Amino acid sequence: MKSVPCKFFSALLLSATLAASAADDGLEIMSLGTTNTMVRVMKPSKYLILPIEERMADAQIDVLVDGNIATTFYARLANNDVDYTVPFDLTPYTSCGQVILNIVTENDRATSREAADFVCWDEMSLSNEFDTKNREKYRPAFHHTPLYGWMNDPNGMFYKDGLWHLYFQYNPYGSKWQNMTWGHSTSSDLVHWTQQPNAIEPNGIGSVFSGSCVVDHENTAGFGKEEVIAIFTSAGVSQVQSLAHSSDNGQTFKIYPGSPIITTEREARDPNMFWNEQTQKWNLVLAGALDHEVLFFSSSNLKEWTLESKFGQGYAGQDGVWECPDLIKLPIKGTKKEKWVLIVNINPGGPFGGSATQYFVGDFDGHKFTCDNAVNETRWMDYGKDHYATVTWSNAPGNRHTAIAWMSNWQYANEVPTMQFRSANSLPRDLELFRAPDGDLYLSVTPAKEVDSLRGEKLSYDATNVEDAPVSFNLPTANDGICEINLGYNIKGTQYLHVTLSNDKGEKVEMTYDVRKRTFRMNRQESGLVKFSRHFPTTTVAPTLTNGNEGSLRLYIDRCSIEAFDGDGRFAMTNLVFPTIPYTKMTVAAEGGKAKITGLDIYSINCK
Ligand code: FRU
């Protein structure tokens, strides 16, 4: 707790005598009619604990310090029942003066008496602690999640001095989208994450939407060598691009007073920048959201940017807004060559509805992106329904291009059956390019090698033939059955190969290789809880992009997700699942002939 000036205590005594009814819990609740309530904080405490009921509308909360608005945020304060609580950190405010929350609720049909009776006024409390212990059965064991609150896009990721930094679109005041802030987590191994204090909070220009960070090794921006520079979208009345910089390795950021640094007449967001070795300049890509295009900028100092060109209108997925672009140069497997890949996330318009990540292969000369793909062709980075806002880490060691996605879909992200937190990230994935049998270049997506370090006990099975009678394997029981499965197969003699995960309640996820169509599909229609959104029960399909019959499938099963990867990186498929009890069994069966399991390893996963 920061020191509190004396004036604060004397003012507290005065208000305490005037409002004796509320003095003992340190909060004075002033009911001001049907939609307005003021809450005076009368006891120095770290947190004001706010009771939330998700079905209520957001209340607007102005935090007044000595009568001035210090900050504004929104929370779904509980009227009838408390779903969970969230903490509002008072320390930056109570150290400056007297704090009053001026709260406007939207319950215009309530009488004054009903409004004064909302459960939130009774349950609001002061505390020096907030319990973040997990209360969720569906909280992933080996995927990044916020301790509490809502998360969407991964943001501003960079690597520096042995630490991977992951920022994310965060609502600290509830588990639905709101109050966009850059949450922050760090990891030394890409798989164990520690949540840090929030890094960038909304300010007068707007809330803090997606963006990127770079390490300014050569002090091009003038804030100092090795300064971490963030450029992000400030979303207020309009969307403009702001700059913030950090001299403590991304823990805290100062807003550059010259912000906004890029403004556009049309809605544009999610700036993503990188150092271009070829031109010795910075480049930045910005999503022209409604125009379905990407804007390309260049700069020598990260503060002043020149618009170089635009790409995208008429290309590929045009059904939804274009968001969260990234531009990277990737090696082509088996060659010494490289090609540029432009990642563009799109919502809606994904292959199975809602949001998804598309990409374009081409060239970039620092000014202009030239696309190799046909105008009407869409390439997807992942063929599941729950893979969005994917971008890569800046400054990653060994010239790696490591990406991470938000593992959800805007169609139902706010409704998934968790409460304490909502949404996880995908596993981190390394990106390269490979040439498919059609002669074209496609993204190769493989789980980052660090994921292997999670492997626990291994069960290996010998090669075996499979026909239409399913061959059954038990899944590990530890930690609710979370596991990694590596299944080698030969599907030459069959039409279909079915790989099914199931539990004793008959909930199942069926995955199928269709040998003739050269596809892999995953059906989660009977996977467990599916009714929370009509968009959830689906089957997703990926092209396998191979003519071969032998290969392997890698599956990562966490408490609410299945990530399927072709063993050679030719496709990835990420889908959420909410089984009411863990899947305990995997069966493998051939249909229309004979297939072979060429090897099977099932690893339990070591988690904290
Ligand atoms: C993508 C997105 C971004 C925006 C952010 C807001 O999911 O819509 O375009 O910056 O989320 O949270």
Side-chain angles (χ1 to χ4, degrees):
M1 169 99 201
K2 288 185 192 157
S3 68
V4 177
C6 298
K7 113 176 167 190
F8 179 64
F9 288 112
S10 47
L12 286 186
L13 281 178
L14 180 64
S15 27
T17 35
L18 292 177
S21 62
D24 42 348
D25 66 358
L27 292 174
E28 181 191 356
I29 311 286
M30 296 169 267
S31 302
L32 305 171
T34 54
T35 59
N36 191 199
T37 304
M38 284 188 173
V39 175
R40 192 194 307 270
V41 178
M42 308 202 308
K43 193 170 79 180
S45 305
K46 186 161 167 49
Y47 298 121
L48 174 64
I49 306 294
L50 300 169
I52 304 295
E53 184 176 358
E54 287 208 329
R55 69 187 179 88
M56 300 325 301
D58 272 313
Q60 177 175 326
I61 304 174
D62 288 338
V63 180
L64 307 178
V65 180
D66 290 349
N68 295 314
I69 299 180
T71 189
T72 297
F73 67 99
Y74 299 84
R76 295 169 180 262
L77 294 178
N79 287 15
N80 313 291
D81 299 301
V82 180
D83 291 331
Y84 51 86
T85 59
V86 292
F88 175 74
D89 186 353
L90 288 165
T91 44
Y93 308 105
T94 45
S95 57
C96 303
Q98 263 211 77
V99 172
I100 289 181
L101 281 79
N102 188 13
I103 302 176
V104 178
T105 52
E106 261 198 9
N107 295 284
D108 49 3
R109 268 177 288 162
T111 62
S112 300
R113 185 180 296 175
E114 282 163 351
D117 204 32
F118 289 162
V119 68
C120 57
W121 313 127
D122 280 344
E123 299 288 314
M124 213 174 259
S125 62
L126 292 170
S127 172
N128 288 324
E129 270 149 40
F130 181 69
D131 183 7
T132 56
K133 203 156 73 275
N134 182 40
R135 295 191 294 275
E136 298 279 357
K137 91 177 203 186
Y138 290 123
R139 187 185 290 273
F142 59 101
H143 289 79
H144 172 256
T145 53
L147 293 170
Y148 63 90
W150 162 272
M151 173 177 83
N152 56 294
D153 315 357
N155 283 151
M157 297 109 71
F158 70 92
Y159 174 90
K160 189 167 186 281
D161 303 335
L163 269 193
W164 300 84
H165 292 262
L166 168 62
Y167 301 86
F168 47 91
Q169 290 286 281
Y170 187 43
N171 180 8
Y173 308 120
S175 300
K176 288 185 183 278
W177 187 91
Q178 188 50 282
N179 302 307
M180 281 301 109
T181 297
W182 273 25
H184 182 201
S185 294
T186 52
S187 170
S188 56
D189 62 5
L190 273 174
V191 283
H192 298 96
W193 294 97
T194 308
Q195 192 165 341
Q196 305 289 344
N198 294 337
I200 311 181
E201 296 187 327
N203 66 10
I205 314 185
S207 56
V208 191
F209 274 19
S210 287
S212 59
C213 284
V214 290
V215 181
D216 189 10
H217 297 295
E218 301 303 331
N219 190 20
T220 61
F223 298 116
K225 271 193 171 212
E226 299 291 307
E227 190 85 353
V228 176
I229 311 289
I231 299 187
F232 57 88
T233 301
S234 291
V237 176
S238 304
Q239 297 184 354
V240 294
Q241 319 313 319
S242 291
L243 188 149
H245 58 104
S246 169
S247 49
D248 57 5
N249 288 328
Q251 277 305 112
T252 58
F253 284 84
K254 285 196 192 73
I255 302 289
Y256 168 55
S259 299
I261 53 158
I262 300 176
T263 59
T264 46
E265 281 182 7
R266 299 274 298 161
E267 193 168 301
R269 57 177 172 268
D270 311 336
N272 203 328
M273 54 184 160
F274 63 94
W275 176 251
N276 191 329
E277 277 300 331
Q278 204 179 322
T279 54
Q280 294 290 298
K281 278 196 168 184
W282 297 101
N283 279 123
L284 178 148
V285 284
L286 187 64
L290 306 177
D291 300 320
H292 311 142
E293 63 184 7
V294 174
L295 283 58
F296 298 79
F297 291 83
S298 66
S299 170
S300 24
N301 62 11
L302 291 163
K303 296 173 184 155
E304 290 141 336
W305 292 89
T306 307
L307 177 63
E308 297 277 351
S309 63
K310 298 178 182 183
F311 163 81
Q313 281 195 11
Y315 265 89
Q318 294 278 323
D319 291 347
V321 290
W322 282 27
E323 303 184 313
C324 305
D326 197 357
L327 183 57
I328 48 179
K329 202 190 210 179
L330 291 182
I332 304 172
K333 274 184 177 179
T335 74
K336 294 216 158 63
K337 295 197 180 125
E338 293 176 313
K339 270 278 188 183
W340 288 88
V341 172
L342 177 64
I343 298 170
V344 181
N345 291 273
I346 167 173
N347 174 47
F352 312 103
S355 39
T357 308
Q358 60 174 338
Y359 67 92
F360 303 88
V361 181
D363 291 306
F364 181 65
D365 61 3
H367 309 281
K368 195 172 181 311
F369 179 76
T370 326
C371 184
D372 289 355
N373 308 150
V375 175
N376 56 0
E377 185 190 354
T378 312
R379 301 264 167 98
W380 302 107
M381 188 190 287
D382 184 291
Y383 284 85
K385 250 196 110 147
D386 299 298
H387 181 273
Y388 194 57
T390 317
V391 286
T392 60
W393 262 274
S394 175
N395 203 40
N399 203 23
R400 279 172 77 176
H401 293 282
T402 308
I404 197 164
W406 173 47
M407 198 158 53
S408 199
N409 189 310
W410 277 119
Q411 281 183 326
Y412 44 71
N414 278 282
E415 317 303 332
V416 296
T418 61
M419 278 275 182
Q420 184 189 22
F421 78 102
R422 246 189 217 106
S423 294
N425 289 106
S426 70
L427 288 174
R429 296 143 184 224
D430 282 320
L431 305 180
E432 289 173 283
L433 286 166
F434 73 97
R435 208 168 282 284
D438 65 5
D440 269 3
L441 291 172
Y442 291 84
L443 265 187
S444 149
V445 181
T446 42
K449 62 179 186 313
E450 286 82 352
V451 176
D452 292 356
S453 69
L454 295 171
R455 287 175 177 166
E457 199 186 325
K458 171 174 159 183
L459 286 174
S460 290
Y461 298 87
D462 292 337
T464 172
N465 291 326
V466 281
E467 298 186 37
D468 50 1
V471 185
S472 186
F473 303 92
N474 289 333
L475 299 180
T477 48
N479 291 320
D480 303 324
I482 59 169
C483 62
E484 175 192 340
I485 299 172
N486 278 320
L487 172 79
Y489 60 80
N490 186 331
I491 48 179
K492 187 155 183 273
T494 187
Q495 287 175 26
Y496 304 98
L497 182 74
H498 301 292
V499 180
T500 306
L501 307 173
S502 62
N503 63 22
D504 288 345
K505 284 201 171 171
E507 296 164 347
K508 60 177 182 185
V509 176
E510 191 179 47
M511 290 163 268
T512 303
Y513 281 94
D514 182 323
V515 180
R516 192 176 49 81
K517 289 192 183 149
R518 301 272 161 198
T519 57
F520 171 85
R521 64 174 187 256
M522 192 189 296
N523 176 348
R524 69 170 178 196
Q525 297 181 43
E526 294 170 54
S527 55
L529 302 182
V530 296
K531 291 197 179 136
F532 55 87
S533 161
R534 71 185 172 85
H535 299 293
F536 190 78
T538 29
T539 299
T540 58
V541 189
T544 54
L545 296 177
T546 173
N547 288 335
N549 291 312
E550 269 193 84
S552 64
L553 175 67
R554 290 174 82 173
L555 296 175
Y556 292 86
I557 304 170
D558 204 341
R559 294 196 175 104
C560 67
S561 61
I562 300 177
E563 284 156 290
F565 295 91
D566 169 62
D568 290 327
R570 290 168 185 267
F571 69 81
M573 186 178 285
T574 302
N575 281 319
L576 292 177
V577 284
F578 297 95
T580 57
I581 52 172
Y583 305 125
T584 46
K585 200 166 78 173
M586 177 176 79
T587 58
V588 183
E591 187 188 329
K594 281 187 194 162
K596 186 166 185 174
I597 296 175
T598 54
L600 173 64
D601 293 329
I602 302 180
Y603 298 91
S604 62
I605 298 275
N606 287 329
C607 63
K608 293 171 277 181

